[in-house]
Amino acid sequence: MMNNSAHVLPRDKGAAPLDFVIAVMAFLAALALGASLIADRAAAGWQSGLAAKLTVQVLPPETGDANAGLQAQIQAALDVLNATPGIAHAELISDTDTQALVEPWIGKNNLVSEIPLPRLIDATIVPGEEVDVAALTQKLKQAAPSALVDDHSRWIGRLGALAGAVRYSAYAILLLIAGATAAAVSFATRAGLSAHHEMVELLHQMGALPSFIARTVEWHYFISALMAALAGTLVAAVLFLGASGLESFGVEAVPFLPPLSLKWTEIPWLLAVPAATAAIAWATARISVLSVVKAIY
Amino acid sequence: MVRFENVGMRYDAGPEVLRDVTFVLEAGSFTFLTGLSGAGKTTLLKLIYLAEPPSRGLITLFGRDLATAKRTALPALRRRIGVVFQDFRLLDHLSAFDNVALPLRLAGKRVSDYARDVEELLSWVGLGDRMNSAPPTLSGGEQQRVAIARAVVARPDLLIADEPTGNVDPEMGARLIRLFSELNRLGTTVLIATHDRTLIETARAREMRLVDGRLVELRASAA
């Protein structure tokens, strides 16, 4: 005996392959979504790290006493930097660190100490403040003509473009997966309705509204898709958490790339995958049923 | 209640199954539709219970011209019609109770409102002890009675039955006709397609006969 509008049509016994397809789709969608979250976080980290710094390069003067000239220009540049609003402090990178920077190219020998190397000044910007780079460049040019300012804007721009590319690629993948899921559910719904065509026709004949017939089908697909997508997403979440576990033991999943793990606070974002999948399945099933019923007189 | 004017019907590019059919079923009338197999009885019934649109002619149902009625208006008209299909068309995955209750569920009623009516009706047709059985486990006669109970449970304005006593013994046949007569007495218009001469003679109702797709009035007087 029934007390609601469910189960007027029988459940498809052959729906397991669809559930598997949906689970795989959800797994891939969760991976794409997780990748976009990781890319966003990594790009934001790099950008904030670079944006908080300025590098000033002071080249040795080409004429006169190179060392004395260089020291004078370094001091002048340091004075300008320390007097610039928004700069927390400026620090000359030591001789040893400078030589260490060029060591991979020149090697470790006496030659390094004899070459007049440019010197680098690392300036830290007060968090939340901005430095007028154009004005600073102008001032430095007057105080230390051979000083060059690098505010990392080129790198920040490139990193932003990289993060955008990863994010939009992930969106494109999510869209493709959503389309494929809708197509699979549409195919399964129509196949199911075709198998139960006589029953659908009977309900229609008895005066059932198209929305009633749709309701008998759509919730079945909603629940099935939700469960299958939850399973797929769970596997993806376990992978991300597993990567996090490995990283905490010092294992680097992919060298040079940022950690492939999601934070606990980011895991709930993955729940958007089963929610969206179930919504897509529900809407697709409903549209399919309504179009089939519409074709009957 | 039902008016046909010069109605013709053909399936796709085939020959005309019904030709210039014209008749009126008055509200509260009781009519038999007879004719040899292939004469077009089932097609005529399909046109009345809105399973097919006619190829030509005019059909008026419950005062609505079907040619101008919107599609969205048809479900409400269909719910006013109870149909006993020749092949029963029960839902095999539902119990006898749930099959009979289906029109009431479609009308939006709750199980607590209709459970007693459904149980009483199933008892009346002799299936009080088979309420929870699925149709495949019932005999042909039992399935036919479930189909009849489903058609009458919502007290339709129009009852259409295609060979409703074909699978039951004469005693149960007479009992079912009493059920139809009782419904008719309460105001339901009844149209029964049958070959059963005994049934027709017992009820002494109006008889329309189809011969090669044309309608012939054999007996106009109601019982």
Side-chain angles (χ1 to χ4, degrees):
Chain A
M1 209 178 283
M2 281 184 276
N3 58 4
N4 56 47
S5 63
H7 310 318
V8 172
L9 293 178
R11 285 181 172 231
D12 283 331
K13 286 174 186 161
L18 177 68
D19 290 346
F20 179 72
V21 168
I22 287 177
V24 172
M25 295 289 187
F27 171 71
L28 295 174
L31 285 187
L33 186 63
S36 80
L37 286 170
I38 289 167
D40 264 3
R41 176 153 44 85
W46 289 334
Q47 285 179 358
S48 65
L50 286 174
K53 296 272 187 183
L54 272 177
T55 305
V56 175
Q57 189 182 183
V58 185
L59 301 173
E62 289 175 2
T63 54
D65 183 347
N67 195 33
L70 182 62
Q71 291 305 325
Q73 292 216 24
I74 288 169
Q75 193 51 54
L78 280 170
D79 291 345
V80 169
L81 286 167
N82 285 322
T84 303
I87 290 190
H89 76 276
E91 191 183 3
L92 178 68
I93 292 178
S94 68
D95 267 344
T96 321
D97 288 344
T98 306
Q99 285 174 14
L101 283 172
V102 295
E103 195 184 295
W105 287 272
I106 298 176
K108 195 173 183 179
N109 50 46
N110 290 336
L111 187 66
V112 176
S113 53
E114 288 168 17
I115 296 173
L117 288 175
R119 299 298 301 272
L120 298 174
I121 300 171
D122 195 12
T124 306
I125 296 168
V126 178
E129 288 199 21
E130 283 188 15
V131 172
D132 184 347
V133 176
L136 176 64
T137 308
Q138 195 61 36
K139 277 185 189 168
L140 278 174
K141 202 169 243 178
Q142 288 167 0
S146 62
L148 301 169
V149 180
D150 180 6
D151 64 352
H152 311 136
S153 57
R154 198 160 56 99
W155 278 104
I156 292 171
R158 285 189 179 182
L159 285 174
L162 174 69
V166 171
R167 192 189 305 126
Y168 288 116
S169 300
Y171 292 161
I173 291 169
L174 287 173
L175 262 182
L176 280 175
I177 290 172
T181 305
V185 172
S186 171
F187 180 76
T189 317
R190 283 170 187 274
L193 285 177
S194 179
H196 303 308
H197 192 261
E198 284 185 6
M199 296 182 196
V200 171
E201 216 168 52
L202 174 71
L203 290 174
H204 177 71
Q205 196 56 68
M206 292 172 76
L209 292 172
S211 56
F212 179 95
I213 300 172
R215 269 203 304 280
T216 64
V217 174
E218 68 202 16
W219 288 111
H220 162 65
Y221 282 95
F222 178 84
I223 299 293
S224 297
L226 185 65
M227 292 301 157
L230 269 174
T233 305
L234 187 68
V235 175
V238 166
L239 273 185
F240 283 123
L241 290 174
S244 167
L246 283 177
E247 280 152 12
S248 67
F249 283 110
V251 179
E252 204 177 9
V254 185
F256 307 118
L257 281 183
L260 293 179
S261 58
L262 285 177
K263 293 178 180 172
W264 276 105
T265 50
E266 288 168 328
I267 291 288
W269 277 103
L270 297 185
L271 288 177
V273 171
T277 309
I280 289 168
W282 176 85
T284 310
R286 184 173 179 82
I287 291 166
S288 304
V289 174
L290 291 180
S291 70
V292 166
V293 174
K294 203 177 173 185
I296 309 172
Y297 170 59
Chain B
M1 179 66 61
V2 181
R3 176 184 291 275
F4 273 49
E5 289 176 50
N6 298 315
V7 171
M9 177 66 186
R10 68 170 79 236
Y11 293 101
D12 299 324
E16 267 204 328
V17 184
L18 295 176
R19 291 176 208 144
D20 297 321
V21 173
T22 299
F23 69 92
V24 175
L25 292 183
E26 298 292 352
S29 62
F30 196 117
T31 308
F32 285 110
L33 178 66
T34 59
L36 296 173
S37 293
K41 296 194 295 298
T42 300
T43 299
L44 179 58
L45 297 185
K46 277 184 174 178
L47 293 181
I48 301 175
Y49 64 72
L50 304 177
E52 300 279 355
S55 305
R56 61 184 174 87
L58 189 70
I59 299 177
T60 310
L61 192 62
F62 306 121
R64 299 286 297 269
D65 176 359
L66 295 184
T68 57
K70 286 185 179 170
R71 278 182 68 107
T72 51
L74 299 186
L77 296 181
R78 289 189 177 107
R79 285 197 295 275
R80 295 174 68 182
I81 307 171
V83 185
V84 183
F85 299 98
Q86 194 171 10
D87 53 355
F88 319 141
R89 297 177 70 176
L90 300 174
L91 299 183
D92 287 349
H93 64 289
L94 298 184
S95 66
F97 178 95
D98 288 324
N99 266 285
V100 173
L102 204 49
L104 300 169
R105 290 175 64 193
L106 293 181
K109 292 191 175 171
R110 293 178 182 190
V111 69
S112 54
D113 296 333
Y114 62 68
R116 205 170 153 183
D117 290 345
V118 172
E119 285 165 8
E120 273 181 16
L121 187 55
L122 278 166
S123 297
W124 167 258
V125 295
L127 293 172
D129 57 344
R130 307 298 308 269
M131 279 186 220
N132 294 315
S133 303
T137 66
L138 301 175
S139 71
E142 287 171 330
Q143 289 186 34
Q144 191 156 34
R145 281 179 274 158
V146 173
I148 290 169
R150 184 181 66 187
V152 303
V153 71
R155 299 231 178 128
D157 293 326
L158 174 62
L159 176 71
I160 294 169
D162 199 356
E163 299 287 357
T165 56
N167 289 279
V168 295
D169 56 53
E171 193 183 336
M172 182 48 78
R175 193 177 168 86
L176 293 176
I177 286 299
R178 278 212 307 283
L179 177 64
F180 295 151
S181 299
E182 185 63 21
L183 262 181
N184 179 240
R185 200 178 60 77
L186 291 170
T188 297
T189 305
V190 178
L191 176 64
I192 298 174
T194 186
H195 285 107
D196 189 343
R197 291 307 311 173
T198 317
L199 195 69
I200 297 163
E201 296 310 323
T202 310
R204 294 194 53 74
R206 177 188 179 194
E207 181 183 349
M208 299 189 304
R209 187 174 179 81
L210 271 170
V211 180
D212 290 335
R214 291 182 188 278
L215 200 62
V216 183
E217 191 93 12
L218 286 187
R219 186 165 61 205
S221 59

